[in-house]
Amino acid sequence: MNGKTLLVEIGTEELPPKILRNLAKLFLDYVTIELKLFRLSYEKVFWFASPRRLAIKVINLQIQQLDRIIEKRGPILANAFDLNGDMTKETKNWITNNNIISSKIETLRNIKGEWLFVRKIVKGQKTELLIPIIIEKTLKKISAPKLMRWGDNNIKFIRPIHTITIIFGKKLISSIILGIKSKRVIYGHRFMGDSKITLVDADQYPEIILERGKVIADYEKRKEIIRTNAKLIASKLGGIVDLSNELLDEVNSLVEWPVVFAANFNKEFLGIPNELLVHIIKNKQKYFPIYDNKGILLPRFIFVSNIECDNSKQIIIGNEKVLHSRLVDAKFFFDIDKKNRLSDNLHLLDKIIFHNKLGSLQDKTKRIINLSRWIASKIGADINHSMRASLLSKCDLITNIVCEFAEMQGIIGMYYARYDGEIEDVSIALSQQYKPCFSGDMIPSTLIGCTLSISDKIDTMVGMFGINQFPKRSKDPLALRRAAFGVLRIIIEMNLPLNLKHMAQEAVNIYKGILINDNTVNDLIDFMFARLQKLYLENGFSLDVFQAVLSVRPLYPVDFDLRMKALSHFLSLDESTELIIVNKRVNNFLTKSNNTIINNEINLSLLKQKEEIELANYISKLTTKLKPYFTQGLYKEALIELTMLKTTIDNFFDKVTINTNDFAVYLNRLTLLMKIKILFLEVADISILKIRKKTDFIKKG
């Protein structure tokens, strides 16, 4: 391919470190999409990102679009000319609107008719003329939760833009994009190397900015330098560094020239709860903690500097001082809090408003206690311990530690409960009450923890639905969607026998007349089913499988899950396709029966043909046999048994005429069909399922 290298760098103020990688990938994705739309081919594309730049480098980008042929079909030949052979108004409008030269018009003939027709060759444009359009469109597509405006105009971007560099081969593509004129100048490191670098050739990037500007523009290369050096340093210290990918990405997005150091903190701070200590090290200071081979936290940490200097000891001392100050404050707050029992904070909860229409945290605590009593009795959790955990659940929100480090709520409550001598199950439940906190997070591991977590979440959802405050699009201030996901995951994964309707009704009753929405229970159930759908789709189940189960509305999430897995397994059976077709056929017959009132039972005396007698007998036999299957939730086994109906049903449809003139016989045969449908409806509505190919099985459960 006869192409050139394209380099585009957007120089900005410091970009948000938590989303820098995503921004860079968006830049890459949108540019490649636009290149495709503009019919510009290339060999390969690379992306670069550092705190003050986003860049892409396109290798062997063609220098001009290929010519293309546009075919335009005009009026039907019979309508194209009048009786005198002159063009009709329709033809003239077609020529004018499409800038057609009359001499180029042809006639298109096929079996459908004849039309006026023209082929136009559209010359391809030079790539250098299209690049500014592509880049501007791309930058306008890139978005973030908050955009910034700078200068006297209304142009917005993630951060103010200082430079735009667009080099195609060796040529500067001169343009003004988002109010910034493109230049050859790119900026190096703030404190090292050359401040300004003139880019002569696109192929010089990123090597020139590395050598002269002391900037490693390659995001993944910087990340690997940090990872490798951090592991090496930790190993020399006899430890293992905690390099969580999320923090590693964030730290990488804060530096352009990473230099990795190890430092220490005072051993006395190891007396602070481990979670709090690690939280300060990782989340507040963006440092990496070090553990020994047994997983015990060491009084050491690793940090990454953005500059090389001769006196590295001063950099280490400076970071140690900063962390020391943080830990001194944390230890002070922790020691102050320990002077009071957790239960001493109960009376203070009345002063904190949970919601202006739903009362204080003390009101919420009372509701959680009552709901926990009910849930614990249903799932076999210790009722007294569950109520005690519920009583103490919000007390740590008053503590100094939570006021300073909000992320410690629940976790610090566990430590204070232990200091107070609370039962261990109660203490652990306090730390698990908010779990799962995010997608993929662990659920509570104890029944008391499950009880407290579910009670808290259900109380919030019922309360908000009860005052008609539902999540709207991206607005979900109390994270009701996440709460619903959490409740469903806990119930299903812990195999808890909880009924959504009964639980919602119990929560509504506990509110005692505060709620104004009479449909709260049904609204909550519909909301939970919507979350359940999303949960199953994310786990690879098909939408039609979910809808088939939803049609029978199982109110026990565990029961719902058993049906989903059973139905997915059913689809892998050879007989499934034909039984789906049978169910669709049965459903059609019943739908077309014009609301005929069908009998509850089959009238054996009206069975005339051998095939319908055999079907009736088989249905009776299966109904009796499958009753314990359905009671015990053995849906997979039940569906396997139902596949045995296939031959008998086939014989029935082949030999028996349902729409007979004898109304009593007709009604009896409809009853037969209804009995078939009812048997399958004990699991799901099979007629909803799509017909699948043999290679398109869902392999779940």
Side-chain angles (χ1 to χ4, degrees), residues 12 54 139 142 147-148 150 155-159 161 178:
T12 66
L54 297 173
L139 294 179
I142 297 175
L147 298 177
M148 297 182 70
W150 65 96
I155 296 171
K156 293 181 179 180
F157 195 60
I158 295 96
R159 290 292 184 269
I161 297 175
L178 299 185

Side-chain angles (χ1 to χ4, degrees), residues 157-174:
F157 195 60
I158 295 96
R159 290 292 184 269
I161 297 175
H162 292 306
T163 60
I164 292 182
T165 303
I166 307 174
I167 308 293
F168 189 38
K170 295 184 178 181
K171 183 176 182 179
L172 171 69
I173 304 299
S174 183

Side-chain angles (χ1 to χ4, degrees), residues 78-97:
N79 299 332
F81 302 95
D82 59 21
L83 296 175
N84 297 322
D86 297 325
M87 292 182 184
T88 60
K89 185 177 180 181
E90 183 183 357
T91 302
K92 291 177 181 178
N93 288 340
W94 173 65
I95 290 172
T96 302
N97 294 338

Side-chain angles (χ1 to χ4, degrees), residues 458-484:
I458 290 293
D459 172 78
T460 300
M461 286 189 284
V462 165
M464 296 303 289
F465 284 20
I467 57 175
N468 290 316
Q469 292 194 15
F470 306 95
K472 295 180 180 178
R473 297 181 183 177
S474 61
K475 294 183 179 179
D476 188 8
L478 293 186
L480 301 185
R481 296 186 184 96
R482 187 175 69 196

Side-chain angles (χ1 to χ4, degrees), residues 526-578:
D526 290 341
F527 183 74
M528 296 293 275
F529 278 142
R531 296 304 99 199
L532 197 58
Q533 174 180 316
K534 186 173 177 61
L535 189 64
Y536 279 114
L537 294 185
E538 287 177 351
N539 286 325
F541 287 86
S542 295
L543 178 59
D544 64 322
V545 173
F546 177 84
Q547 291 171 335
V549 175
L550 180 63
S551 65
V552 297
R553 290 181 75 81
L555 293 171
Y556 287 87
V558 171
D559 187 55
F560 201 112
D561 190 61
L562 289 172
R563 294 169 189 260
M564 288 291 295
K565 291 173 180 176
L567 201 54
S568 295
H569 178 264
F570 168 74
L571 288 173
S572 69
L573 304 178
D574 292 339
E575 299 86 353
S576 63
T577 299
E578 293 176 26

